[in-house]
Amino acid sequence: MHHVFISYSRADLAVVDHIAGGLERAGIRMWIDRRDIPVSVPWWAEVTTGIGAADLFVICDSANWRASQACLLESRVAASAHKSVLTVDLNSEPAGQIVDRIVAAVRHTPPTVWTHTEVTVRTDMWTRSGRGRLGLASGGLLRRMRQLDRDGTPPLDDDAHAFLEASRSRHRRRLATSWGSAVLAVVAVLTCGVGTVLRGYGPELLGQYNQVLGDLVPDDDAAPADPYQTLATQRDRIRDGALGYLDRMVMTRALAVPVPDHAFVVPGRPAGFLGTATGDSATVVAADGRRYRGSPVPVPGTAARSGPPLLAVASDHTGRVQVRREKSRVTVVSGDRTVLTLPPGAPAVVAAEGSRAVAMDRGRIRLADLRTGGADSVAAPSGCCTAVAFTADAVALGHRDGSVWRWRPGSTPTRVWSWPGTVGGVDRMVPSPDGSVLAVTRTRDGLIHLLRGTGLGTVRTLAVARSGPLAFSPDGRLLAAATGADVVVFDTGTGTQVTQLAGSVGAVRHLTWSADSRRVFAATEADRVVRWQVRQGRTLVDDPRRWFVAVSRPTPDGRLVAADRDGGLTVLDAAAETVVAGHRTSARGVTGMSVSPDGRHVALTSFSSAVSMSSLAGEPERMLDAACTAVRSGWSPDSRSLYLTCSNGEVRMFEAATRRRVASATLNGGGAPSTIAVAPTGEVYVGNVYSEVYRFDAALRTHNRLVESPCGLPMRAITVSASGDDVVMAGDGAVHMSCMYEAHRRPDGSWNRVLVQQPVDIGEQARAVDVTPDATMAVVGLSDGRVRLWRPDETLDPIGSFREGGGEIWGAAFTRDSTKVVVGSRDGMVIALPACRWCGTGPELADQADAVLRQARDLGLTDR
């Protein structure tokens, strides 16, 4: 947003420039178009966006303004957008007086105008990003919007009303979730007395409902403005005696925000990184040419350069090629050899990849071969180029009208991509390591466009508050985007936001990754280099072509099995973090997998009546005809019997050796069974499509309803502890709709049921749950790629939170020693995560926060 939009005729540019200079000195942000371009559709979209983002529309009145078609169009847009208008007379008023009038008008702008402008900008971004949840209003903005709507001045248009209604709907859902949790907790306190958690949880929910709404149900797209302040505040609260459930929840959420674990100051301005980092350190080049790696001490042998300072250093992913931009020339260097030099005054639009470099030279695009010294060139299209980059098969060219062109040497550049509602020219273009995906940002666009293939078609669009430097991880899985002092990390396969890295000093100017794609390095305007750790776990399998549907519990020898949709099995040694073996089965369209307790056989269910019983011991694969569409499977404790849930509403039991059906049962309450778990004690637990849970005896002769439909949505995952006394279940709506429960058997044989309310995220569906044998830890995998761990007892303490990728989590299992949890995702990843990230008492968590703050102080990142 900006304070004013300056509408003027270009014939009056000399006078308007004096006014604009005075406004800049007064700290007034403005939108002023100094480009000599004709009226066009891209221009129109850019102007309307600029007017909508302004609090005040200033008309620089003159005979030239009144004769300009463009100026009249701008005034009509301002009128339709209900903007405050100030008219100044260029012919009769001195420039200084005009500046004073505009400054006074801005400083006396009513708060309702600010709200109207913010709503207009947020609505525009929300509409362009597909009207999803990202960017919806909450908190104070939502309250101001509702008041503005009631007052009717300035009025909201139809899109803004839709934005308001979507924001209110999300707010109502969160409010209902929070109050539902509060009511359930209070009812439990009054009627059941479930123990420690409710003794502390109930009073806090009643006495601190604002904290419930603000912390238990946070704003999904809220940025961690000052993570150090949050940590310090919560640390002090806990040390002052605030040890309840909500305080632990807030503390673990604060600890989950990644902050830099390493930082150092570069004497002089950082000019860029040399490729990806190796080990734990990245090499940064300063403006004087010195190189720094991991400390403020320059790398030996890198003396300061004479002459004009280095403006930037760009390189390919290997760091072999450097493209240097100086004030007087542009040079492309391979090793110690300069392979391309552009004349003084040439625009510094350059890129390098492998053995090639491309640069702009006064209306021509030049391509240099770094090995042979050969070159090729072509005339650039009018308005090109604001950015250049290499794709897999061509050179991509960014145009000032916001479009992208493609050039293959020996041909003429052609336009291959444009986006409706252009807002400014192409600002940055960054290719993925293999050149198959191109990330494009445009001036004031607020979006990152991912383009793929020879035609550069749009793959997906990512929304950010404001876009800065971009960097793909070396494996191409993740994209880091600077937005001010923070860095947002997206999963390129799904488009979901993996994390937001905070806590640096100054706006981020350059980005790079470590070679293992686990860390992000940033150079900031405060001359600092900082490092964040993005991934906490260890990736065991990374194959985007695979869709993992399940991860088994450990076999007797401690190994786990991950199954994919196409019938592939991967045997894992999680302790050693290695893949032991893998093979294919005949199953296709796999929906579920279970491993026999003796570790010899794997049962795979699919969208058919055929169930594969594949051997892990070298025996031939066998097929079982379930005579129904089998949904899920579970083995008896002695590995001799296989239980199946069928879509026709039955639970069936088969003798594994003979594949003969020996028993069957139907759920009394109706509803097709959707998932199954067999306890080591022989009891069988079945969840159905109404989220009810039934408990059967081993022979399927008797059963009773353990949990009655808490939310009416399908139960997707269920697990049971080694004793059979603890059951954890979750399904669709597990987060927002409270479709997630625990059941604990009391000594007298009765059952105690506990609602497991997770912090609200965009992942509404749970596809995987597991519990340790002693029921001290539980894990749930959600549809937005998040993994959450907690204590499955009456405290429900959160002890871990991860989001290593962007794919849905369909499998989760603890290792034999319960120190790790292995998860499998829809986008082909199997990851081993630490299982007890935040174990400990409240004071111990406060000590963890203190350690983070102490490290940040030592690095010069905070004074908290």
Side-chain angles (χ1 to χ4, degrees), residues 44 47-49 51-52 72-83:
W44 179 254
V47 165
T48 55
T49 300
I51 294 173
L72 294 177
L73 287 172
E74 289 172 355
S75 66
R76 291 172 187 168
V77 171
S80 64
H82 306 285
K83 291 295 174 181

Side-chain angles (χ1 to χ4, degrees), residues 470-490:
L470 307 172
F472 280 95
S473 60
D475 60 10
R477 277 278 191 174
L478 303 173
L479 174 68
T483 172
D486 298 339
V487 176
V488 179
V489 179
F490 294 96

Side-chain angles (χ1 to χ4, degrees), residues 121-275:
V121 173
R122 294 282 288 266
T123 299
D124 183 59
M125 290 186 65
W126 175 70
T127 302
R128 284 187 282 118
S129 61
R131 299 199 171 198
R133 291 196 180 103
L134 187 65
L136 289 177
S138 62
L141 175 59
L142 182 56
R143 289 191 294 272
R144 295 194 301 272
M145 283 180 61
R146 296 178 66 179
Q147 185 62 47
L148 181 67
D149 188 42
R150 285 191 292 267
D151 295 341
T153 306
L156 300 176
D157 60 19
D158 291 340
D159 284 340
H161 277 293
F163 177 78
L164 172 59
E165 187 54 37
S167 299
R168 292 183 64 187
S169 296
R170 185 178 69 165
H171 175 71
R172 286 192 293 266
R173 287 196 304 270
R174 290 178 167 179
L175 193 63
T177 300
S178 298
W179 279 111
S181 301
V183 170
L184 286 171
V186 173
V187 169
V189 168
L190 297 177
T191 61
C192 300
V194 295
T196 306
V197 62
L198 295 181
R199 284 197 296 270
Y201 189 31
E204 283 199 355
L205 282 171
L206 291 174
Q208 301 181 26
Y209 79 95
N210 283 328
Q211 190 171 0
V212 176
L213 299 181
D215 294 317
L216 186 60
V217 189
D219 188 2
D220 292 337
D221 54 300
D226 187 351
Y228 304 121
Q229 174 66 54
T230 305
L231 284 169
T233 300
Q234 197 57 29
R235 174 201 60 190
D236 295 341
R237 276 183 52 81
I238 287 178
R239 288 180 174 169
D240 287 341
L243 301 175
Y245 171 83
L246 291 181
D247 288 289
R248 188 182 182 94
M249 178 71 76
V250 175
M251 175 60 87
T252 55
R253 286 186 57 235
L255 288 170
V257 176
V259 295
D261 61 358
H262 181 65
F264 63 92
V265 176
V266 174
R269 181 178 54 80
F273 290 104
L274 289 186

Side-chain angles (χ1 to χ4, degrees), residues 267-282:
R269 181 178 54 80
F273 290 104
L274 289 186
T276 56
T278 56
D280 291 338
S281 299

